[in-house]
Amino acid sequence: MRLYAQRRRIRTGQIVRDVLVLVWIGLWAWVGIRVHDLVAALAGPGRAVEAAGQGLAGSAEEAGRAVSDIPVVGDALEGPFGTLAGVGARLQGAGAGQQEVIAELALWLGVALSLLPIAYIVLKYVPGRVAWIREATAAHHLRLSAETLELFALRAAVSRPFHELRQISQDPAGDLAAGNYSALARLELEALGLR
C-alpha cells in the first residue's frame, strides 16, 4: 500500500495536510473536553444544594427522634421535624437532579461542539485521501511495461487538464496514435506522485 507519493513536493504536501488534519481533530477534541469541563463546573451549586438538603434531613430526623422522648408533647413535636426532614430530602433530590441535568448537558454540548468540525474535516478530506492511496497503490503495482505505459498515456489523455497536456506535447492525440506514450505516461505518473 502506498500512503505517500514518491515525489518529494507531493509527498511533503500530503504529510503536511495529514498533520494539519490530525492537529484539527486534536484541537476540536480539546475544545470539546474543555467545554464539557466548563459546563460541568456549573453543577457546583447543585452539589451544595444536595449537601444542604442531606444535612437538613439528617438533622431534622435526629431532632425529631430526640423530641419524641419528651413526655406528653414529644409526639406532637416530632411531626414538624418529620415534615422538615421531608423538605430536606426534596432539597437533596433537587440538587441531585440539577447535577444530572448539567452533567448530561456538559456531555452532549462537548460532544456536539467537537464532533461537528471533526466530522466536517474527516468527511471532506479522508475520501479523497483514500481514493489517492487506492489509485497510487494500483498504479504502483501496474508499472512499467510497454502495455502499462500505453494505459498511463491513455489515462493522462482522458483525465489531465488540457493546459497540462499542451505543456508536454503540441499534439497529444497524435502522440497516442503514433505510439509515443512516454511523455503522457510520465504526466499521469507525476500527477499520482509516482516516479
Side-chain angles (χ1 to χ4, degrees), residues 144-159:
L144 268 179
S145 65
E147 294 81 22
T148 57
L149 195 64
E150 180 181 0
L151 177 66
F152 284 117
L154 286 170
R155 182 170 171 155
V158 171
S159 64

Side-chain angles (χ1 to χ4, degrees), residues 10-119:
I10 295 174
R11 181 177 58 242
T12 302
Q14 288 172 331
I15 292 170
V16 166
R17 284 188 297 276
D18 286 354
V19 168
L20 287 175
V21 166
L22 291 175
V23 167
W24 177 269
I25 290 169
L27 173 71
W28 282 105
W30 177 82
V31 166
I33 291 168
R34 187 75 178 123
V35 166
H36 172 272
D37 293 346
L38 289 172
V39 173
L42 296 175
R47 283 190 291 276
V49 168
E50 182 181 15
Q54 186 177 10
L56 178 62
S59 296
E61 286 174 1
E62 188 178 310
R65 280 192 300 273
V67 294
S68 70
D69 294 339
I70 298 174
V72 181
V73 291
D75 290 338
L77 290 176
E78 186 180 9
F81 284 108
T83 303
L84 190 57
V87 169
R90 284 194 298 279
L91 193 59
Q92 181 181 357
Q98 180 188 8
Q99 291 176 71
E100 289 175 17
V101 167
I102 288 175
E104 193 167 328
L105 175 67
L107 173 70
W108 290 112
L109 193 58
V111 167
L113 194 62
S114 62
L115 192 61
L116 291 175
I118 289 172

